[in-house]
Amino acid sequence: MTDFTKGRIVRPLILFAVPVLLGIVFQRLYNVFDTMLVGRFIDKTALAAVGASGIIFNLFITICNGFSNGFGIVIGQKYGAGNQIELKKAIAGTYLFAIIISVTLTALGIIFINPILRLIQVPEELFPQARTYLLILTMGLVLTVIYNVFTNILRAFGDSVMPLVFLIVSVALNFGFDVLFIVVLKMGVAGTAIATVIAQGISALLTILFSLTRRPVMRIKLSEFKIPAGIIRELLSQGAAMSLMFTVVDIGSVVLQAGINALGGKLGSDLIAGYTAGRKYLELGMIPGGAFAVSSASFVGQNYGAKQYGRIKKGIIALILISWICATAALFISIFAGRLLITSITGKDAGDFVINTGLKYLRIGVPFYYALYVLVIIRSSLQGINQKLLPLVASGIELLVKILATAWLIPALGYIMVCIAEPIIWVLGMLWVAPAFLISLKKLNKE
């Protein structure tokens, strides 16, 4: 476990961030590989169905992960403050609320799956496969949430290595099951969903066994589930704020996906297939921002709990500069190897329209990673200092722009608006959160 409240700043942050970064890389690479198998070994319709419905499952995961990330911030603050009694109570509350939230979402997702897919305008020819894919993933949601809750607690303690180990195991299992179910057994989109659920279940079990045997503080007695009202408020307020922030972002993505689905209904499923390929690699390039955002939440949470406010600004500046190095690398890759990346998913025989659709989306979005990385790092940092409203406003701006784009701009301007909507959002969000964070830090130092 890493104590961020004393000693050097940059080296411990990098050592913490690298396993997180590698973990997200493995996860994203698996998602790309998963999509690649669907596009190459099933057909373009299956690829479009996965792209059209997968955004809903991502929303479910985001809601649950938002809560668990918020709970992790509270745990990190208690750990940084050295309060063992409150720390145990916060962990107990995290276990309890995570199960309640994930089970509730699973039930709602299964009951309302058809209306949800109709709401986001999934084209009729994609509907059966999209429904099958989403239903299976939703039934395994609890397993995914258990894994994420335990790994978030480990990261709150400054341990980012073991979550990486468990993730590598999960990705390896996913890889094997995908090949078995899709390539060998020809199970279609159901096969890729089943592979994901089985792999997540095994990974969740391993994470629980490690945490309860090697991290005694995570072993909770029945009596410790008597959680004080103050800690319940902290957990729910921080969890709800983080979940709402992330959920608003993902709701915006669902709204935007609905606009893309509607556009695909007019221009054909080839547009959705091309967009899905470009989106997978754009998301892959977002990894450094996500990794450094996770790192900033742990770093800021601990230092806020220990009232080491001067260290917070130095750490965040270091993370942003490092993330910009990653953004520059991604820019060069998109320029010189973008077409190769897209055809790795679609196949070279997919047709120029599909390939160029994905390439256009990728090359327009990548240059705006610089703004995106600042946005996600500072947004998580604001949560770490208990500034819940400011990042939520940034997420609200994102939702508003996506609604406007879906309702008016995409129908009027077409696919180009799909490509530029999120980059505009990233810039606006960065311009909001960066000054707000500096002002908040200044107030803390004065106090």
Side-chain angles (χ1 to χ4, degrees):
M1 297 193 290
T2 303
D3 187 347
F4 288 122
T5 62
K6 52 193 173 186
R8 289 185 290 179
I9 293 177
V10 176
R11 186 173 182 274
L13 266 176
I14 293 175
L15 291 176
F16 179 86
V18 167
V20 177
L21 177 62
L22 291 175
I24 303 176
V25 166
F26 276 108
Q27 197 166 36
R28 293 296 189 186
L29 282 176
Y30 162 70
N31 288 336
V32 171
F33 175 76
D34 183 56
T35 308
M36 192 184 302
L37 286 180
V38 171
R40 285 173 171 262
F41 289 94
I42 307 179
D43 52 37
K44 291 187 294 185
T45 302
L47 177 61
V50 169
S53 62
I55 193 73
I56 296 297
F57 183 69
N58 289 342
L59 176 60
F60 293 161
I61 291 292
T62 296
I63 293 172
C64 296
N65 282 354
F67 273 100
S68 64
N69 286 340
F71 299 157
I73 288 175
V74 176
I75 291 169
Q77 290 172 349
K78 303 300 183 187
Y79 177 70
N83 192 326
Q84 289 296 309
I85 295 176
E86 291 194 356
L87 176 61
K88 297 277 281 189
K89 295 289 187 181
I91 293 172
T94 296
Y95 292 162
L96 181 62
F97 293 134
I99 292 297
I100 293 172
I101 293 166
S102 61
V103 169
T104 301
L105 271 179
T106 298
L108 292 174
I110 293 173
I111 293 170
F112 296 105
I113 186 169
N114 284 354
I116 290 171
L117 291 175
R118 299 291 183 196
L119 183 64
I120 64 170
Q121 303 183 61
V122 172
E124 200 60 40
E125 68 271 19
L126 306 181
F127 197 91
Q129 292 187 81
R131 185 184 187 280
T132 298
Y133 181 73
L134 180 59
L135 179 61
I136 295 171
L137 288 178
T138 302
M139 292 172 68
L141 177 63
V142 175
L143 299 174
T144 304
V145 171
I146 290 173
Y147 164 78
N148 286 325
V149 163
F150 275 83
T151 54
N152 275 325
I153 295 174
L154 290 173
R155 292 190 189 104
F157 294 150
D159 181 359
S160 60
V161 174
M162 290 312 300
L164 171 61
V165 172
F166 298 130
L167 184 59
I168 291 173
V169 171
S170 177
V171 168
L173 290 170
N174 250 324
F175 179 90
F177 287 129
D178 259 341
V179 172
L180 175 63
F181 294 148
I182 297 175
V183 180
V184 179
L185 299 180
K186 309 292 185 184
M187 293 177 62
V189 295
T192 187
I194 292 171
T196 299
V197 171
I198 294 174
Q200 282 293 316
I202 296 173
S203 186
L205 178 61
L206 292 175
T207 308
I208 292 171
L209 290 175
F210 171 83
S211 299
L212 298 184
T213 56
R214 302 297 295 274
R215 299 287 183 261
V217 72
M218 295 177 68
R219 295 199 294 264
I220 303 300
K221 299 176 182 177
L222 190 62
S223 61
E224 289 168 332
F225 281 96
K226 295 179 180 178
I227 307 165
I231 292 180
I232 290 177
R233 283 195 298 270
E234 283 185 78
L235 288 170
L236 291 181
S237 64
Q238 191 68 264
M242 185 71 87
S243 181
L244 188 57
M245 179 184 75
F246 289 161
T247 301
V248 167
V249 171
D250 264 26
I251 288 174
S253 297
V254 171
V255 170
L256 192 60
Q257 182 69 52
I260 296 162
N261 290 345
L263 196 62
K266 296 177 182 178
L267 301 180
S269 60
D270 279 3
L271 182 136
I272 300 178
Y275 162 79
T276 299
R279 179 70 188 181
K280 287 298 178 183
Y281 277 112
L282 191 74
E283 290 176 349
L284 192 64
M286 296 176 186
I287 288 172
F292 294 129
V294 170
S295 303
S296 69
S298 297
F299 177 83
V300 173
Q302 284 192 23
N303 280 285
Y304 180 79
K307 300 184 179 180
Q308 297 285 344
Y309 306 133
R311 294 173 60 85
I312 292 176
K313 184 176 179 180
K314 294 178 182 178
I316 298 310
I317 291 174
L319 285 174
I320 289 173
L321 292 176
I322 296 168
S323 75
W324 280 356
I325 296 174
C326 299
T328 303
L331 182 59
F332 277 99
I333 291 171
S334 69
I335 293 172
F336 295 107
R339 190 173 188 86
L340 180 63
L341 295 177
I342 298 301
T343 55
S344 71
I345 290 180
T346 63
K348 294 181 180 179
D349 298 329
D352 287 340
F353 179 80
V354 173
I355 295 169
N356 291 334
T357 296
L359 189 60
K360 185 176 184 179
Y361 182 81
L362 180 65
R363 285 181 172 167
I364 289 176
V366 168
F368 291 89
Y369 281 162
Y370 297 96
L372 172 65
Y373 292 168
V374 174
L375 170 61
V376 296
I377 289 170
I378 294 183
R379 200 165 56 186
S380 290
S381 301
L382 283 166
Q383 293 282 352
I385 60 175
N386 284 345
Q387 291 290 339
K388 305 178 186 72
L389 181 60
L390 296 173
L392 186 58
V393 171
S395 301
I397 293 172
E398 180 167 342
L399 175 60
L400 178 61
V401 174
K402 286 181 177 177
I403 290 174
L404 291 174
T406 302
W408 293 297
L409 299 178
I410 290 177
L413 301 177
Y415 186 65
I416 186 63
M417 195 60 218
V418 173
C419 298
I420 66 174
E422 286 186 303
I424 292 172
I425 289 164
W426 299 340
V427 172
L428 292 175
M430 179 193 68
L431 294 176
W432 168 258
V433 299
F437 182 66
L438 292 174
I439 293 170
S440 298
L441 273 185
K442 189 174 181 180
K443 289 181 179 178
L444 284 175
N445 283 317
K446 284 183 178 179
E447 292 171 359

